[in-house]
Each structure stands twice: as structure tokens, then as C-alpha cells.
mmCIF file of all heavy atoms in Angstrom:
data_model
loop_
_atom_site.group_PDB
_atom_site.id
_atom_site.type_symbol
_atom_site.label_atom_id
_atom_site.label_comp_id
_atom_site.label_asym_id
_atom_site.label_seq_id
_atom_site.Cartn_x
_atom_site.Cartn_y
_atom_site.Cartn_z
ATOM 1 N N MET A 22 -4.807 -18.539 20.352
ATOM 2 C CA MET A 22 -4.768 -18.383 18.920
ATOM 3 C C MET A 22 -4.081 -19.624 18.284
ATOM 4 O O MET A 22 -3.037 -19.998 18.781
ATOM 5 C CB MET A 22 -3.987 -17.139 18.498
ATOM 6 C CG MET A 22 -4.747 -15.880 18.711
ATOM 7 S SD MET A 22 -3.810 -14.346 18.260
ATOM 8 C CE MET A 22 -3.577 -14.599 16.549
ATOM 9 N N GLY A 23 -4.669 -20.138 17.319
ATOM 10 C CA GLY A 23 -4.070 -21.254 16.594
ATOM 11 C C GLY A 23 -3.117 -20.789 15.531
ATOM 12 O O GLY A 23 -2.938 -19.642 15.231
ATOM 13 N N ALA A 24 -2.411 -21.744 14.976
ATOM 14 C CA ALA A 24 -1.474 -21.476 13.881
ATOM 15 C C ALA A 24 -2.167 -20.825 12.684
ATOM 16 O O ALA A 24 -1.637 -19.914 12.007
ATOM 17 C CB ALA A 24 -0.746 -22.728 13.478
ATOM 18 N N SER A 25 -3.428 -21.309 12.376
ATOM 19 C CA SER A 25 -4.140 -20.701 11.238
ATOM 20 C C SER A 25 -4.474 -19.269 11.446
ATOM 21 O O SER A 25 -4.465 -18.466 10.545
ATOM 22 C CB SER A 25 -5.377 -21.541 10.892
ATOM 23 O OG SER A 25 -6.243 -21.491 11.990
ATOM 24 N N ASP A 26 -4.816 -18.895 12.653
ATOM 25 C CA ASP A 26 -5.153 -17.506 12.980
ATOM 26 C C ASP A 26 -3.932 -16.634 12.868
ATOM 27 O O ASP A 26 -4.038 -15.461 12.344
ATOM 28 C CB ASP A 26 -5.715 -17.410 14.450
ATOM 29 C CG ASP A 26 -7.011 -18.054 14.661
ATOM 30 O OD1 ASP A 26 -7.793 -18.150 13.679
ATOM 31 O OD2 ASP A 26 -7.287 -18.499 15.772
ATOM 32 N N ILE A 27 -2.744 -17.109 13.230
ATOM 33 C CA ILE A 27 -1.568 -16.344 13.170
ATOM 34 C C ILE A 27 -1.180 -16.150 11.696
ATOM 35 O O ILE A 27 -0.762 -15.111 11.242
ATOM 36 C CB ILE A 27 -0.399 -17.083 13.937
ATOM 37 C CG1 ILE A 27 -0.766 -16.979 15.397
ATOM 38 C CG2 ILE A 27 0.917 -16.333 13.632
ATOM 39 C CD1 ILE A 27 0.175 -17.723 16.293
ATOM 40 N N ILE A 28 -1.394 -17.165 10.835
ATOM 41 C CA ILE A 28 -1.067 -17.060 9.438
ATOM 42 C C ILE A 28 -2.036 -16.123 8.713
ATOM 43 O O ILE A 28 -1.546 -15.231 7.927
ATOM 44 C CB ILE A 28 -1.149 -18.519 8.736
ATOM 45 C CG1 ILE A 28 0.031 -19.399 9.276
ATOM 46 C CG2 ILE A 28 -1.121 -18.379 7.227
ATOM 47 C CD1 ILE A 28 -0.106 -20.796 8.867
ATOM 48 N N ILE A 29 -3.305 -16.142 9.060
ATOM 49 C CA ILE A 29 -4.283 -15.183 8.528
ATOM 50 C C ILE A 29 -3.868 -13.768 8.943
ATOM 51 O O ILE A 29 -3.913 -12.845 8.086
ATOM 52 C CB ILE A 29 -5.682 -15.542 8.859
ATOM 53 C CG1 ILE A 29 -6.050 -16.928 8.224
ATOM 54 C CG2 ILE A 29 -6.667 -14.526 8.551
ATOM 55 C CD1 ILE A 29 -7.363 -17.445 8.736
ATOM 56 N N ALA A 30 -3.623 -13.574 10.217
ATOM 57 C CA ALA A 30 -3.255 -12.206 10.636
ATOM 58 C C ALA A 30 -1.979 -11.675 9.984
ATOM 59 O O ALA A 30 -1.870 -10.560 9.580
ATOM 60 C CB ALA A 30 -3.063 -12.212 12.180
ATOM 61 N N ALA A 31 -0.961 -12.530 9.794
ATOM 62 C CA ALA A 31 0.295 -12.177 9.143
ATOM 63 C C ALA A 31 0.035 -11.845 7.678
ATOM 64 O O ALA A 31 0.561 -10.859 7.152
ATOM 65 C CB ALA A 31 1.286 -13.309 9.229
ATOM 66 N N ALA A 32 -0.934 -12.579 7.006
ATOM 67 C CA ALA A 32 -1.208 -12.251 5.630
ATOM 68 C C ALA A 32 -1.897 -10.905 5.516
ATOM 69 O O ALA A 32 -1.660 -10.136 4.558
ATOM 70 C CB ALA A 32 -2.059 -13.343 5.012
ATOM 71 N N ILE A 33 -2.850 -10.640 6.400
ATOM 72 C CA ILE A 33 -3.539 -9.354 6.441
ATOM 73 C C ILE A 33 -2.574 -8.242 6.668
ATOM 74 O O ILE A 33 -2.616 -7.174 5.970
ATOM 75 C CB ILE A 33 -4.653 -9.350 7.422
ATOM 76 C CG1 ILE A 33 -5.799 -10.291 6.962
ATOM 77 C CG2 ILE A 33 -5.217 -7.962 7.644
ATOM 78 C CD1 ILE A 33 -6.829 -10.559 8.021
ATOM 79 N N LEU A 34 -1.691 -8.399 7.570
ATOM 80 C CA LEU A 34 -0.669 -7.313 7.934
ATOM 81 C C LEU A 34 0.281 -7.084 6.715
ATOM 82 O O LEU A 34 0.651 -5.967 6.435
ATOM 83 C CB LEU A 34 0.133 -7.674 9.179
ATOM 84 C CG LEU A 34 -0.706 -7.511 10.486
ATOM 85 C CD1 LEU A 34 0.154 -8.026 11.639
ATOM 86 C CD2 LEU A 34 -1.138 -6.071 10.678
ATOM 87 N N ALA A 35 0.677 -8.209 6.077
ATOM 88 C CA ALA A 35 1.554 -8.070 4.893
ATOM 89 C C ALA A 35 0.797 -7.360 3.767
ATOM 90 O O ALA A 35 1.443 -6.511 3.086
ATOM 91 C CB ALA A 35 2.033 -9.452 4.463
ATOM 92 N N GLY A 36 -0.415 -7.642 3.529
ATOM 93 C CA GLY A 36 -1.149 -6.972 2.526
ATOM 94 C C GLY A 36 -1.300 -5.460 2.780
ATOM 95 O O GLY A 36 -1.216 -4.667 1.930
ATOM 96 N N ALA A 37 -1.579 -5.179 4.034
ATOM 97 C CA ALA A 37 -1.717 -3.751 4.413
ATOM 98 C C ALA A 37 -0.430 -3.011 4.279
ATOM 99 O O ALA A 37 -0.371 -1.871 3.825
ATOM 100 C CB ALA A 37 -2.232 -3.676 5.900
ATOM 101 N N ALA A 38 0.703 -3.651 4.668
ATOM 102 C CA ALA A 38 1.978 -3.014 4.505
ATOM 103 C C ALA A 38 2.318 -2.849 3.011
ATOM 104 O O ALA A 38 2.888 -1.793 2.645
ATOM 105 C CB ALA A 38 3.073 -3.944 5.185
ATOM 106 N N TYR A 39 2.000 -3.763 2.203
ATOM 107 C CA TYR A 39 2.246 -3.663 0.745
ATOM 108 C C TYR A 39 1.487 -2.515 0.189
ATOM 109 O O TYR A 39 1.951 -1.670 -0.583
ATOM 110 C CB TYR A 39 1.877 -4.936 0.049
ATOM 111 C CG TYR A 39 1.926 -4.771 -1.493
ATOM 112 C CD1 TYR A 39 3.112 -4.681 -2.134
ATOM 113 C CD2 TYR A 39 0.759 -4.675 -2.203
ATOM 114 C CE1 TYR A 39 3.235 -4.476 -3.528
ATOM 115 C CE2 TYR A 39 0.808 -4.543 -3.578
ATOM 116 C CZ TYR A 39 2.016 -4.423 -4.255
ATOM 117 O OH TYR A 39 2.044 -4.246 -5.603
ATOM 118 N N LEU A 40 0.152 -2.370 0.532
ATOM 119 C CA LEU A 40 -0.633 -1.259 0.047
ATOM 120 C C LEU A 40 -0.117 0.050 0.523
ATOM 121 O O LEU A 40 -0.104 1.033 -0.224
ATOM 122 C CB LEU A 40 -2.093 -1.440 0.457
ATOM 123 C CG LEU A 40 -2.857 -2.574 -0.228
ATOM 124 C CD1 LEU A 40 -4.221 -2.688 0.390
ATOM 125 C CD2 LEU A 40 -2.953 -2.304 -1.680
ATOM 126 N N LEU A 41 0.317 0.180 1.735
ATOM 127 C CA LEU A 41 0.881 1.353 2.322
ATOM 128 C C LEU A 41 2.191 1.710 1.543
ATOM 129 O O LEU A 41 2.344 2.848 1.142
ATOM 130 C CB LEU A 41 1.168 1.174 3.806
ATOM 131 C CG LEU A 41 1.744 2.388 4.488
ATOM 132 C CD1 LEU A 41 0.699 3.487 4.600
ATOM 133 C CD2 LEU A 41 2.198 2.014 5.889
ATOM 134 N N TYR A 42 3.012 0.759 1.289
ATOM 135 C CA TYR A 42 4.261 0.946 0.576
ATOM 136 C C TYR A 42 3.954 1.480 -0.793
ATOM 137 O O TYR A 42 4.546 2.469 -1.344
ATOM 138 C CB TYR A 42 5.101 -0.302 0.511
ATOM 139 C CG TYR A 42 6.208 -0.237 -0.546
ATOM 140 C CD1 TYR A 42 7.330 0.521 -0.323
ATOM 141 C CD2 TYR A 42 6.014 -0.936 -1.730
ATOM 142 C CE1 TYR A 42 8.336 0.572 -1.313
ATOM 143 C CE2 TYR A 42 6.942 -0.842 -2.721
ATOM 144 C CZ TYR A 42 8.141 -0.104 -2.456
ATOM 145 O OH TYR A 42 9.097 -0.100 -3.480
ATOM 146 N N ARG A 43 3.067 0.801 -1.499
ATOM 147 C CA ARG A 43 2.706 1.133 -2.880
ATOM 148 C C ARG A 43 2.099 2.496 -3.014
ATOM 149 O O ARG A 43 2.454 3.237 -3.930
ATOM 150 C CB ARG A 43 1.750 0.041 -3.435
ATOM 151 C CG ARG A 43 1.617 0.183 -4.930
ATOM 152 C CD ARG A 43 0.662 -0.815 -5.486
ATOM 153 N NE ARG A 43 -0.729 -0.333 -5.086
ATOM 154 C CZ ARG A 43 -1.815 -0.993 -5.325
ATOM 155 N NH1 ARG A 43 -1.747 -2.161 -5.938
ATOM 156 N NH2 ARG A 43 -3.002 -0.516 -5.050
ATOM 157 N N SER A 44 1.263 2.889 -2.130
ATOM 158 C CA SER A 44 0.554 4.195 -2.209
ATOM 159 C C SER A 44 1.341 5.354 -1.648
ATOM 160 O O SER A 44 1.200 6.495 -2.059
ATOM 161 C CB SER A 44 -0.850 4.104 -1.561
ATOM 162 O OG SER A 44 -0.697 3.889 -0.138
ATOM 163 N N VAL A 45 2.122 5.128 -0.605
ATOM 164 C CA VAL A 45 2.805 6.275 0.103
ATOM 165 C C VAL A 45 4.278 6.409 -0.394
ATOM 166 O O VAL A 45 4.615 7.456 -0.827
ATOM 167 C CB VAL A 45 2.748 6.107 1.590
ATOM 168 C CG1 VAL A 45 3.526 7.189 2.268
ATOM 169 C CG2 VAL A 45 1.292 6.131 2.081
ATOM 170 N N TRP A 46 5.035 5.339 -0.213
ATOM 171 C CA TRP A 46 6.454 5.518 -0.507
ATOM 172 C C TRP A 46 6.845 5.393 -1.993
ATOM 173 O O TRP A 46 7.549 6.175 -2.476
ATOM 174 C CB TRP A 46 7.269 4.493 0.294
ATOM 175 C CG TRP A 46 7.287 4.884 1.760
ATOM 176 C CD1 TRP A 46 7.956 5.979 2.290
ATOM 177 C CD2 TRP A 46 6.687 4.207 2.880
ATOM 178 N NE1 TRP A 46 7.769 6.002 3.616
ATOM 179 C CE2 TRP A 46 6.989 4.952 4.004
ATOM 180 C CE3 TRP A 46 5.931 3.035 2.952
ATOM 181 C CZ2 TRP A 46 6.500 4.511 5.254
ATOM 182 C CZ3 TRP A 46 5.508 2.637 4.218
ATOM 183 C CH2 TRP A 46 5.751 3.417 5.318
ATOM 184 N N LYS A 47 6.274 4.431 -2.638
ATOM 185 C CA LYS A 47 6.577 4.168 -4.060
ATOM 186 C C LYS A 47 6.128 5.341 -4.938
ATOM 187 O O LYS A 47 6.785 5.843 -5.797
ATOM 188 C CB LYS A 47 6.026 2.838 -4.499
ATOM 189 C CG LYS A 47 6.478 2.495 -5.904
ATOM 190 C CD LYS A 47 5.976 1.093 -6.261
ATOM 191 C CE LYS A 47 6.403 0.681 -7.641
ATOM 192 N NZ LYS A 47 5.877 -0.617 -8.066
ATOM 193 N N LYS A 48 4.857 5.729 -4.752
ATOM 194 C CA LYS A 48 4.257 6.773 -5.592
ATOM 195 C C LYS A 48 4.319 8.119 -4.904
ATOM 196 O O LYS A 48 3.815 9.142 -5.414
ATOM 197 C CB LYS A 48 2.835 6.490 -5.968
ATOM 198 C CG LYS A 48 2.725 5.248 -6.885
ATOM 199 C CD LYS A 48 1.337 5.106 -7.373
ATOM 200 C CE LYS A 48 1.339 4.048 -8.432
ATOM 201 N NZ LYS A 48 0.181 4.118 -9.261
ATOM 202 N N LYS A 49 4.917 8.206 -3.689
ATOM 203 C CA LYS A 49 5.038 9.424 -2.926
ATOM 204 C C LYS A 49 3.702 10.215 -2.716
ATOM 205 O O LYS A 49 3.669 11.355 -2.822
ATOM 206 C CB LYS A 49 6.117 10.325 -3.554
ATOM 207 C CG LYS A 49 7.450 9.729 -3.527
ATOM 208 C CD LYS A 49 8.491 10.631 -4.239
ATOM 209 C CE LYS A 49 9.864 10.051 -4.209
ATOM 210 N NZ LYS A 49 10.047 8.727 -4.849
ATOM 211 N N GLY A 50 2.635 9.457 -2.579
ATOM 212 C CA GLY A 50 1.348 9.989 -2.269
ATOM 213 C C GLY A 50 0.467 10.449 -3.487
ATOM 214 O O GLY A 50 -0.544 11.022 -3.217
ATOM 215 N N HIS A 51 0.975 10.171 -4.675
ATOM 216 C CA HIS A 51 0.210 10.579 -5.873
ATOM 217 C C HIS A 51 -0.987 9.713 -6.010
ATOM 218 O O HIS A 51 -1.069 8.574 -5.490
ATOM 219 C CB HIS A 51 1.057 10.491 -7.103
ATOM 220 C CG HIS A 51 2.228 11.391 -7.040
ATOM 221 N ND1 HIS A 51 2.161 12.739 -6.945
ATOM 222 C CD2 HIS A 51 3.611 11.203 -7.022
ATOM 223 C CE1 HIS A 51 3.320 13.354 -6.925
ATOM 224 N NE2 HIS A 51 4.281 12.364 -6.985
ATOM 225 N N CYS A 52 -1.964 10.148 -6.786
ATOM 226 C CA CYS A 52 -3.190 9.422 -6.962
ATOM 227 C C CYS A 52 -2.991 8.110 -7.705
ATOM 228 O O CYS A 52 -1.920 7.944 -8.373
ATOM 229 C CB CYS A 52 -4.277 10.218 -7.630
ATOM 230 S SG CYS A 52 -3.782 10.859 -9.246
ATOM 231 N N GLN A 53 -3.959 7.165 -7.631
ATOM 232 C CA GLN A 53 -3.756 5.883 -8.216
ATOM 233 C C GLN A 53 -3.604 5.869 -9.730
ATOM 234 O O GLN A 53 -2.801 5.111 -10.297
ATOM 235 C CB GLN A 53 -4.965 5.042 -7.963
ATOM 236 C CG GLN A 53 -5.168 4.638 -6.471
ATOM 237 C CD GLN A 53 -4.089 3.768 -5.958
ATOM 238 O OE1 GLN A 53 -3.561 2.981 -6.770
ATOM 239 N NE2 GLN A 53 -3.852 3.829 -4.683
ATOM 240 N N GLY A 54 -4.219 6.772 -10.482
ATOM 241 C CA GLY A 54 -4.204 6.772 -11.906
ATOM 242 C C GLY A 54 -3.023 7.680 -12.466
ATOM 243 O O GLY A 54 -2.838 7.802 -13.647
ATOM 244 N N CYS A 55 -2.205 8.271 -11.567
ATOM 245 C CA CYS A 55 -1.209 9.166 -12.002
ATOM 246 C C CYS A 55 0.148 8.631 -11.657
ATOM 247 O O CYS A 55 0.623 8.687 -10.530
ATOM 248 C CB CYS A 55 -1.398 10.510 -11.281
ATOM 249 S SG CYS A 55 -0.219 11.757 -11.784
ATOM 250 N N SER A 56 0.841 8.034 -12.608
ATOM 251 C CA SER A 56 2.171 7.482 -12.324
ATOM 252 C C SER A 56 3.271 8.519 -12.483
ATOM 253 O O SER A 56 4.303 8.331 -11.958
ATOM 254 C CB SER A 56 2.383 6.296 -13.298
ATOM 255 O OG SER A 56 2.401 6.763 -14.654
ATOM 256 N N SER A 57 2.975 9.619 -13.128
ATOM 257 C CA SER A 57 4.010 10.615 -13.357
ATOM 258 C C SER A 57 4.058 11.689 -12.271
ATOM 259 O O SER A 57 4.971 12.452 -12.129
ATOM 260 C CB SER A 57 3.909 11.272 -14.723
ATOM 261 O OG SER A 57 2.638 11.950 -14.797
ATOM 262 N N GLY A 58 2.900 11.814 -11.568
ATOM 263 C CA GLY A 58 2.815 12.771 -10.485
ATOM 264 C C GLY A 58 2.527 14.174 -11.005
ATOM 265 O O GLY A 58 2.705 15.151 -10.313
ATOM 266 N N SER A 59 1.997 14.281 -12.192
ATOM 267 C CA SER A 59 1.674 15.580 -12.786
ATOM 268 C C SER A 59 0.201 15.982 -12.771
ATOM 269 O O SER A 59 -0.207 16.988 -13.272
ATOM 270 C CB SER A 59 2.232 15.711 -14.214
ATOM 271 O OG SER A 59 1.575 14.741 -15.029
ATOM 272 N N CYS A 60 -0.592 15.120 -12.147
ATOM 273 C CA CYS A 60 -2.061 15.436 -12.093
ATOM 274 C C CYS A 60 -2.377 16.547 -11.090
ATOM 275 O O CYS A 60 -1.535 16.815 -10.199
ATOM 276 C CB CYS A 60 -2.847 14.162 -11.830
ATOM 277 S SG CYS A 60 -2.490 13.502 -10.194
ATOM 278 N N ASP A 61 -3.521 17.153 -11.211
ATOM 279 C CA ASP A 61 -3.875 18.278 -10.332
ATOM 280 C C ASP A 61 -4.501 17.827 -9.012
ATOM 281 O O ASP A 61 -4.581 18.656 -8.064
ATOM 282 C CB ASP A 61 -4.942 19.164 -11.074
ATOM 283 C CG ASP A 61 -4.268 19.877 -12.223
ATOM 284 O OD1 ASP A 61 -3.050 20.040 -12.229
ATOM 285 O OD2 ASP A 61 -5.034 20.258 -13.159
ATOM 286 N N LYS A 62 -4.878 16.545 -8.902
ATOM 287 C CA LYS A 62 -5.505 16.077 -7.692
ATOM 288 C C LYS A 62 -4.464 15.940 -6.563
ATOM 289 O O LYS A 62 -3.350 15.395 -6.742
ATOM 290 C CB LYS A 62 -6.214 14.783 -7.855
ATOM 291 C CG LYS A 62 -7.401 14.926 -8.744
ATOM 292 C CD LYS A 62 -8.099 13.653 -8.935
ATOM 293 C CE LYS A 62 -9.345 13.815 -9.846
ATOM 294 N NZ LYS A 62 -10.011 12.534 -10.004
ATOM 295 N N LYS A 63 -4.759 16.362 -5.358
ATOM 296 C CA LYS A 63 -3.853 16.144 -4.205
ATOM 297 C C LYS A 63 -4.661 15.513 -3.111
ATOM 298 O O LYS A 63 -5.698 15.815 -2.825
ATOM 299 C CB LYS A 63 -3.297 17.445 -3.709
ATOM 300 C CG LYS A 63 -2.283 18.040 -4.709
ATOM 301 C CD LYS A 63 -1.027 17.192 -4.639
ATOM 302 C CE LYS A 63 -0.020 17.732 -5.696
ATOM 303 N NZ LYS A 63 1.157 17.016 -5.770
#
């Protein structure tokens, strides 16, 4: 693996971790359009 491959893999992992953080921990699993957590969708 070259340096560019490692950089690309790190960028992909960082993006996946950010999406996981944003959808699971920050919003506590609420849907994308519901910032208050009062929607009926689960």
C-alpha cells in the first residue's frame, strides 16, 4: 500500500465515523428530518 492508498482509506474511515456519530450519538437514532425527536418514525 502506498501513501495515497492510506490517505484515501483514512478519509473514508473518517467520513464513516462522522456519519455514525451524527446519526447515532448526536441525534440519538432519530430520523434525518427530525431534530427534536418528536416524530412518529422509529
Side-chain angles (χ1 to χ4, degrees):
M22 286 180 63
S25 63
D26 293 333
I27 293 172
I28 291 171
I29 292 170
I33 291 171
L34 288 175
Y39 171 73
L40 288 175
L41 182 66
Y42 164 75
R43 192 181 75 181
S44 64
V45 175
W46 287 293
K47 187 175 179 184
K48 292 192 175 194
K49 296 180 179 59
H51 299 298
C52 58
Q53 294 292 331
C55 182
S56 62
S57 64
S59 61
C60 62
D61 293 335
K62 293 182 180 180
K63 290 286 179 184

